[in-house]
Each structure stands twice: as C-alpha cells, then as structure tokens.
C-alpha cells in the first residue's frame, strides 16, 4: 500500500522536496476539525524548478516507444487496485463526496489509465494517398513538450488522470498542480506513478494556490500546453495569457448552467430519477450538474411536486456513511456562493418550493452542509439565477410550451456544457441534438456520468471547443504531415517542374 500519510511536499525531477516554511491546511469539509495534512505553498521558484525538470526529461521520454511509455499506466493501475477502497475513503474525506461517488472517481481514473494503456497499441497517425503514385503521405503525431495540468477538487483522482495519461502516452512531460482543496489525492497519484517506475522529471507535482504557483506555470515561457479544468473566470484568464504566447496551446474545461429538457411524453419515473441525480449528486458541484429543469407544461406541476417531494427526502450527512446521498459542500466559500444565489432567486421573482441553505444543527455544525434549494420561475433572459453557475444544489424548474420554446430557453445562456432530453419521440430528440449548443448530450439520462473513451468538453463559455478526456490527444500532440518520394525524379502534384529555361 502506498503510504497513507500525506508528505505535503512537491515532487520535482524525481525527488520529494520541501518548500520553505509556508504551508496550507487540508481539512475534511464534513468535519473541519479533521486535519488531513499540511502542504507546501509553492511559488514561482518551484514552478521554474518543476518546468525545468519536465523540460530536461522531455528529450529522453519522447524517444521512448509509445507502447513502453503506456506500460507505466498499466503498472499504475495494478498499484491503485490494491488500495482502491482506502483511496476512495481518502477522496471522500478530502473533498466531501459520498463514498459511492468517491469509489466511482477511482474507477473512472482506473478506466482512464486502462484506456490509454490499450490505446497506445492502436494507430497514432494516418497513411494517406498522394496524387503522385511515387509518393506516400502520412499524418504523424509528435509530442508537444511540457504540459501543465491544473485540476479541480471535485474529481481529484479521475480528472488529473484524464489530463496526465494522454499527455504521457503521447510523449510529453507534465507538471501537475492539483486543487488546493485536494492536495493529498494529488500527491497519491504521483506516488503511484513513482512506484510504477516513471523516470524522474516525467511527472512533477507542485502544491499550492493558483495565484502563487498556478499563474507562474501558466505564463512560463517553456510550457507548451496548459490543461485546465475549473471556473470560467480563471479559465478566461488562462486563455488570455496563453494567447499572448505564440507557442502555447490551452484547453480549458469550465463551468456550465446545464439543463434537462423533460417533455410531456417522457417516462416520468425515469426523468425524475435523472433529475435527482443531475441536480444533487456531488451536492450539485459538477461542471455537468443540472441547475435548470426545463419541463413541458402538461406535466410541469406534477413533476415539480414529485421532484420537490423526493428532494425533501434526500439524506444529507457524513459522506462516509453508505446511506448518505448528499455530503457537504467543499468550502465555506461554496456555501456563501450558494446562499448568495438563493437570495438572488427570491429577489428575481422565483417561487421558492424548497428553501434550502446552510445546516447548522448538531453534527452538521462540523462541516459545510447545506440542503437543496428548489424554485419555479418563468424563463427570463434577465434573471441572473437562470444564467450563472451556482455550483451547488440550487435548482430552477422552468415551464415550456413546445419544442421551439424548450430549445430557445436552453440556448439562452452563455454556457454550453451538458444537456439531457427526456422524451420518447425520436423527432424531438433529434431536433434537440441539432438545435442546442452543448458538448456532452444525453437522451433519457442524467446530465452527469461521462465515460472515459468519449470526448468531454463544453462549448461557448464552458470550454475552448477542444474537448478533454479521450479527445485530448489532439491537444497534446502535433499532427504533422510527412510526404516521402520513392521515385527518382520530382513530380509535383500541381504540375510544376525544375525546368529553368522553359520549353
Ligand atoms: C466534472 O464535473 O468536472 O460526467 C467532471 C461526469 C463525470 C465527470 C464530471 N464523469 O459526471
């Protein structure tokens, strides 16, 4: 088993290193009295050292075969499998996710590493015909260099692996900065890779805050790719910074104001279950959580009542208790944002059906527990609560008349991440797919629950239009064209010759 005690250090060039005296506390959001560890507050010195180590290691790593590189992922999986339950418990304690969801996070991480291990043996380029019979043309992939991966707390295991695995398999080296809320799980990932025999410098870890160490990494001149998953606000700063540097490429996965569209003909129970999962799993703190339930008029009242009734029964409590459905929010700042938007909903004319908020009784006092907030509102383009991401169990039920109305309401939002449509009518389902702006779409399913071999990313304010997960290969490798002449003379596709005197 990999050590359960967090080291709290950075991992640079194959060594665990302590950073000065400054450190930050990592506490359990369900019980803030529980200290999980103390972690280094890194800054630009550490960012420089980590990028230099990654740059150094790149020249050797890129020359290793793709298949050999990927074998480290298989070794990683074998190690994780030995610790699976204990790792899930650490995830749950560190970010407050229910244990079942923490187990799912580990499984998703394992699947990611397995996928990239297998994919290494599949074609990595293309062979194309040339117009000239003596020529062969190829599309060949080359690694980009140093990749910075800045990851969120809500999937502290799976998301770093979404970004790290394709980067490594394609021959890049990585500097990984986990969220400051989940440094212990970030450290674990690196410990497993160290044990799996990854050469020094290929994967480096820096702990700390975004402004202090994230920014020096993003703006570092020797970084080739920045992969970020987090808020739209930080993502747009990263996009701006990367745009200033001609060589830097960035992929940002940001927020959402995701919606389910539930039509009158939908399977009622299925739609209800999907809505409960979409709105309240991970306490509404997924970039694909649904904060808008757009429901057709014929079933609106019945659906709202059933949803409210089910939401009232949600078991909120200790995430390590198997019977808990909703754990705490991750931080006091998360609670305050949730409460701010709940208040705003009332000001913007919402009819409140369930007035959730911070829970302060008994055991709840120890953590950042909240109960669901549910309201009914006519669509109103001016209402901020219908457009801005809350990242909590804050749910609007919005009535609609017909297909045109549903797709208009859905699209009237700056974000474009996940959608779900519940209907039995294939024409409606197809129209939703074609008319709505989204990156991840579901039919008769919740808005959450992506699988690792699919692209995952949002449009508009939700992303850079370059999806993550399986599709990330295009972000971490250059696709170069390569044409070889097997003839003894030059034949040009467009008919030019080297004849200098004319005919
Ligand atoms: C996220 O919310 O940031 O689709 C990622 C899902 C997960 C990933 C969510 N597999 O719900």
């Amino acid at each position: 088993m990999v050590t359960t005690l967090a080291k709290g250090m950075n991992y640079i060039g194959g060594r665990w290193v302590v950073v000065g005296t400054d450190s930050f506390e990592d506490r359990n959001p369900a019980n803030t009295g529980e200290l999980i560890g103390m972690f280094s507050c890194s800054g630009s010195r550490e960012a420089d050292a980590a990028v230099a180590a990654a740059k150094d290691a790149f020249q050797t790593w890129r020359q290793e075969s793709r298949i050999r590189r990927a074998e480290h992922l298989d070794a990683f999986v074998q190690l994780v499998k030995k610790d699976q339950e204990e790792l899930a418990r650490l995830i749950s304690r560190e970010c407050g996710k229910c244990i079942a969801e923490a187990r799912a996070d580990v499984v998703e991480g394992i699947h990611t590493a397995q996928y990239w291990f297998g994919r290494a043996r599949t074609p990595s380029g293309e062979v194309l015909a040339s117009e000239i019979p003596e020529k062969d043309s190829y599309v060949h992939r080359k690694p980009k260099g140093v990749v910075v991966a800045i990851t969120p707390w809500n999937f502290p295991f799976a998301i770093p692996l979404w970004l790290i695995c394709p980067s490594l398999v394609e021959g890049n080296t990585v500097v990984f900065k986990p969220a400051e809320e989940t440094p212990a799980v970030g450290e674990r990932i690196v410990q497993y890779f160290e044990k799996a025999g990854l050469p020094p410098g290929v994967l480096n870890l820096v702990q700390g805050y975004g402004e202090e160490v994230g920014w020096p990494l993003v703006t570092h001149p020797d970084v080739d790719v920045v992969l970020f998953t987090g808020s739209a606000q930080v993502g747009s700063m990263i996009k701006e910074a990367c745009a200033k540097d001609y060589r830097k490429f960035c992929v940002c996965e940001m927020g959402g104001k995701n919606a389910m569209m539930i039509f009158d003909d939908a399977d009622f129970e299925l739609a209800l279950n999907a809505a409960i999962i979409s709105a309240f799993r991970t306490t509404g703190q997924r970039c694909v959580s649904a904060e808008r339930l757009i429901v057709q008029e014929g079933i609106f009242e019945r659906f709202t009542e059933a949803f409210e009734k089910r939401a009232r029964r949600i078991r909120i409590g200790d995430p390590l208790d198997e019977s808990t459905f909703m754990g705490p929010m991750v931080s006091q700042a998360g609670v305050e944002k949730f409460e701010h938007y709940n208040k705003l909903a009332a000001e913007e004319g919402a009819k409140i059906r369930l007035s959730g908020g911070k829970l302060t009784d008994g055991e709840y006092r120890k953590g950042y527990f909240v109960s669901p907030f549910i309201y009914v509102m006519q669509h109103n383009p001016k209402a901020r609560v219908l457009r801005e991401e809350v990242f909590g169990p804050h749910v609007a039920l919005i009535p609609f008349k017909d297909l045109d109305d549903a797709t208009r309401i859905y699209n009237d939002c700056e974000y474009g991440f996940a959608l779900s449509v519940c209907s039995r009518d294939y024409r409606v389902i197809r129209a939703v797919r074609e008319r709505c702006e989204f990156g991840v779409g579901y039919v008769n399913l919740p808005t959450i629950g992506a699988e690792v071999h699919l692209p995952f990313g949002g449009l508009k304010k939700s992303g850079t239009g370059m999806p993550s997960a399986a599709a990330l290969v295009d972000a971490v490798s250059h696709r170069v064209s390569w044409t070889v002449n097997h003839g003894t003379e030059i034949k040009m596709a467009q008919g030019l010759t080297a004849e200098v005197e004319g005919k």
Side-chain angles (χ1 to χ4, degrees):
M1 191 194 281
V2 165
T3 169
T4 50
L5 275 177
K7 289 173 184 284
M9 294 183 232
N10 288 339
Y11 183 71
I12 297 177
R15 285 211 179 82
W16 291 97
V17 281
V18 192
V19 180
T21 47
D22 262 9
S23 53
F24 64 97
E25 289 183 342
D26 174 26
R27 290 186 177 272
N28 179 344
N31 174 11
T32 52
E34 185 192 345
L35 182 69
I36 292 173
M38 299 293 290
F39 289 82
S40 306
C41 281
S42 313
S44 51
R45 264 186 46 197
E46 290 69 35
D48 287 350
V51 172
K55 195 178 169 193
D56 254 18
F58 176 59
Q59 292 313 331
T60 318
W61 182 244
R62 70 178 304 176
Q63 287 172 41
E64 185 53 281
S65 104
R66 194 169 187 248
I67 291 170
R68 292 278 173 268
R69 285 196 296 255
E71 279 169 359
H72 292 95
L73 304 188
D74 179 44
F76 171 91
V77 169
Q78 304 315 319
L79 291 166
V80 173
K81 280 188 168 174
K82 290 193 194 130
D83 290 354
Q84 221 164 320
E85 181 60 19
E86 188 267 339
L87 178 59
R89 294 180 76 81
L90 174 65
I91 291 174
S92 184
R93 281 167 50 226
E94 195 174 40
C95 77
K97 262 198 209 207
C98 293
I99 185 68
E101 293 185 49
R103 289 186 189 119
D105 196 341
V106 177
V107 168
E108 193 167 334
I110 289 176
H111 287 168
T112 302
Q114 288 172 329
Y115 170 78
W116 286 101
F117 168 57
R119 187 160 159 178
R121 285 185 186 264
T122 66
S124 74
E126 292 162 49
V127 183
L128 291 110
S130 165
E131 290 168 31
I132 307 299
E134 291 85 356
K135 284 186 194 170
D136 285 334
S137 294
Y138 305 87
V139 175
H140 174 69
R141 281 190 195 273
K142 295 175 79 176
K144 286 194 174 168
V146 176
V147 173
V148 162
I150 301 180
T151 57
W153 63 265
N154 66 342
F155 279 79
F157 192 69
I159 292 185
L161 292 164
W162 284 8
L163 310 184
I164 291 169
C165 294
S167 300
L168 296 183
V169 169
E170 291 307 317
N172 304 280
T173 52
V174 177
V175 179
F176 167 37
K177 192 208 93 64
E180 50 268 29
E181 292 88 352
T182 50
V185 177
E187 181 181 285
R188 271 305 188 84
I189 292 174
V190 174
Q191 285 180 310
Y192 289 122
F193 273 117
E194 182 189 25
K195 267 199 135 183
L198 211 58
V202 170
L203 175 63
N204 305 277
L205 171 75
V206 287
Q207 300 280 12
Y209 293 100
E211 314 87 77
E212 290 166 15
V213 68
W215 196 244
L217 286 173
V218 166
T219 52
H220 199 292
D222 288 338
V223 166
D224 300 276
V225 182
V226 176
L227 306 175
F228 167 79
T229 304
S231 72
Q233 192 197 358
V234 175
S236 69
M237 281 161 58
I238 291 178
K239 283 205 270 183
E240 219 178 299
C242 291
K244 290 195 184 118
D245 184 340
Y246 67 89
R247 64 180 284 157
K248 209 169 278 177
F249 189 83
C250 78
V251 175
C252 297
E253 288 306 341
M254 298 170 284
K257 189 72 180 177
N258 310 297
M260 288 187 63
M261 276 168 269
I262 303 162
F263 286 79
D264 283 345
D265 72 336
D267 178 326
F268 192 87
E269 244 343 269
L270 180 148
L272 183 60
N273 286 334
I276 292 286
I277 293 174
S278 305
F280 302 124
R281 275 296 183 195
T282 330
T283 318
Q285 300 167 107
R286 294 194 188 205
C287 55
V288 286
S289 296
E291 294 182 4
R292 297 184 295 158
L293 301 178
I294 307 173
V295 184
Q296 201 163 10
E297 282 173 351
I299 55 162
F300 187 81
E301 205 37 58
R302 191 172 144 235
F303 189 87
T304 301
E305 255 167 46
F307 182 73
E308 179 194 325
K309 205 164 143 204
R310 187 78 71 85
R312 283 185 190 276
R313 288 183 14 227
I314 284 177
R315 207 159 171 149
I316 302 162
D318 178 4
L320 287 173
D321 180 338
E322 303 279 348
S323 64
T324 296
F325 187 89
M326 225 172 77
M329 297 198 69
V330 73
S331 64
Q332 180 57 24
V335 173
E336 281 166 18
K337 189 173 178 198
F338 172 65
E339 291 196 313
H340 164 79
Y341 278 101
N342 297 349
K343 203 165 141 258
L344 185 63
E347 287 163 20
E348 291 187 322
K351 269 195 242 132
I352 295 159
R353 300 287 291 241
L354 188 54
S355 169
K358 179 115 178 31
L359 298 172
T360 49
D361 289 349
E363 292 289 291
Y364 289 139
R365 204 167 308 160
K366 291 197 207 158
Y368 307 118
F369 291 96
V370 300
S371 59
F373 184 87
I374 300 175
Y375 58 100
V376 168
M377 203 162 175
Q378 292 294 328
H379 181 65
N380 167 6
K382 294 217 175 76
R384 284 178 49 206
V385 282
L386 299 184
R387 315 182 76 86
E388 295 175 15
E389 184 186 46
V390 179
F391 219 58
H394 168 110
V395 192
L397 285 121
I398 308 161
F400 74 86
K401 278 192 192 56
D402 55 18
L403 175 64
D404 285 350
D405 204 22
T407 55
R408 181 185 56 80
I409 294 172
Y410 171 84
N411 281 332
D412 188 15
C413 168
E414 288 73 21
Y415 291 101
F417 214 132
L419 77 68
S420 152
V421 48
C422 291
S423 170
R424 297 179 212 242
D425 183 337
Y426 72 90
R427 292 192 180 90
V428 163
I429 293 168
R430 191 175 190 281
V432 165
R433 185 187 70 199
E434 295 310 306
R435 292 188 204 175
C436 293
E437 295 170 301
F438 63 92
V440 183
Y442 295 101
V443 180
N444 296 323
L445 282 166
T447 53
I448 71 170
E451 295 184 40
V452 305
H453 53 286
L454 296 167
F456 182 91
L459 308 184
K460 304 201 280 187
K461 199 176 164 184
S462 297
T464 27
M466 161 66 72
S468 180
L472 206 62
V473 64
D474 289 326
V476 295
S477 57
H478 293 296
R479 299 176 82 235
V480 297
S481 102
W482 185 248
T483 299
V484 180
N485 178 19
H486 298 280
T488 52
E489 54 184 298
I490 295 173
K491 289 190 194 161
M492 303 292 284
Q494 294 82 17
L496 299 181
T497 69
E499 190 63 66
V500 291
E501 286 165 4
K503 284 205 172 146

